[in-house]
Each structure stands twice: as structure tokens, then as C-alpha cells.
């Protein structure tokens, strides 16, 4: 998965400071174990409170970290990234991608109408 250079810098700094787990995981508990799901949930909720407005926090917006994956796929499709590239990045076949995300594509009607002129 391609990532922005700024994120590469952040991840390299994290690895330099904390290292990686024996099995290569990027994040580990203080004792080197797998980070508990409850820890991820607690940190995610705190991050939502810091990043979102109170109304957004009370909504389902980004309720789980996994929701960001759906947001990214929808964003890429709506930005005109070819479905083959989006499917590859999301780990889907194009068929599955379009079955799941076709309803999320917005604004294509005007683009298609403009091409017919």
C-alpha cells in the first residue's frame, strides 16, 4: 500500500524510538505482547474526542478504525482513481469492490453527461 512520505517519516521515527516486536509487529504492549483490542478501542475513542466536534463524536462517524478503510475506498473512487487500482489497494477484486462500493460513488452523472457533449 503506497503511503505519503510524511507518514513514512513518522513510522521510521516510531521504529527508531520503540523498535518492533519480535515477530515484526509495529505496535506492541509495554511487555512486547500483542496490543489488546480494548486498548485500541480506548485510544480510538480518545482520538475521536480530540479530533471531532461534540456532534460528530455523538454520531457514528469514524466509530471504529476500520471505518477509515471504507472512507478511503469511497474517497478514491469519488476522486476518479481507476477501480482496478482501488481494488488492488483495498485487497478486493474489482467485482467485489463495485458490488460493495458502487452506491458510494457520487457525482459521476455530471462527468458522464459532460463527455457526451
Amino acid at each position: 500500500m503506497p503511503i505519503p512520505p510524511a507518514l513514512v517519516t513518522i513510522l521510521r521515527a516510531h521504529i527508531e524510538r520503540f523498535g518492533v516486536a519480535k515477530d515484526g509487529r509495529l505496535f506492541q504492549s509495554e511487555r512486547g505482547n500483542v496490543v489488546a483490542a480494548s486498548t485500541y478501542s480506548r485510544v480510538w475513542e480518545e482520538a475521536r474526542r480530540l479530533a471531532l466536534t461534540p456532534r460528530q463524536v455523538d454520531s457514528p462517524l469514524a466509530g471504529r478504525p476500520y471505518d477509515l478503510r471504507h472512507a478511503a475506498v469511497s474517497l478514491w473512487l469519488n476522486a476518479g482513481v481507476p477501480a482496478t487500482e482501488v481494488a488492488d489497494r483495498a485487497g478486493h477484486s474489482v467485482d467485489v469492490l463495485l458490488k460493495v462500493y458502487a452506491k458510494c460513488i457520487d457525482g459521476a452523472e455530471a462527468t458522464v453527461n459532460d463527455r457526451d457533449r
Side-chain angles (χ1 to χ4, degrees):
M1 166 73 70
I3 59 174
L7 181 55
V8 171
T9 300
I10 292 167
L11 292 174
R12 284 183 177 155
H14 175 86
I15 291 169
E16 186 174 316
R17 180 174 177 189
F18 299 104
V20 295
K22 290 177 186 175
D23 62 3
R25 282 177 290 110
L26 182 59
F27 300 107
Q28 57 187 318
S29 71
E30 291 176 350
R31 295 184 177 146
N33 298 318
V34 173
V35 177
S38 61
T39 300
Y40 279 114
S41 296
R42 187 175 61 252
V43 170
W44 185 253
E45 285 305 313
E46 183 178 337
R48 285 183 80 244
R49 284 192 299 275
L50 292 170
L52 303 175
T53 67
R55 186 176 63 79
Q56 290 170 327
V57 170
D58 290 341
S59 79
L61 177 67
R64 308 165 297 167
Y66 188 75
D67 295 336
L68 297 179
R69 181 177 192 273
H70 293 293
V73 170
S74 299
L75 180 68
W76 292 330
L77 288 170
N78 281 301
V81 176
T84 51
E85 177 66 19
V86 175
D88 187 50
R89 289 180 178 210
H92 289 307
S93 67
V94 173
D95 183 52
V96 168
L97 175 86
L98 294 177
K99 282 181 184 175
V100 173
Y101 290 96
K103 63 186 173 289
C104 299
I105 301 172
D106 185 40
E109 183 178 340
T111 302
V112 172
N113 288 345
D114 287 344
R115 288 182 184 162
D116 290 339
R117 292 183 187 164

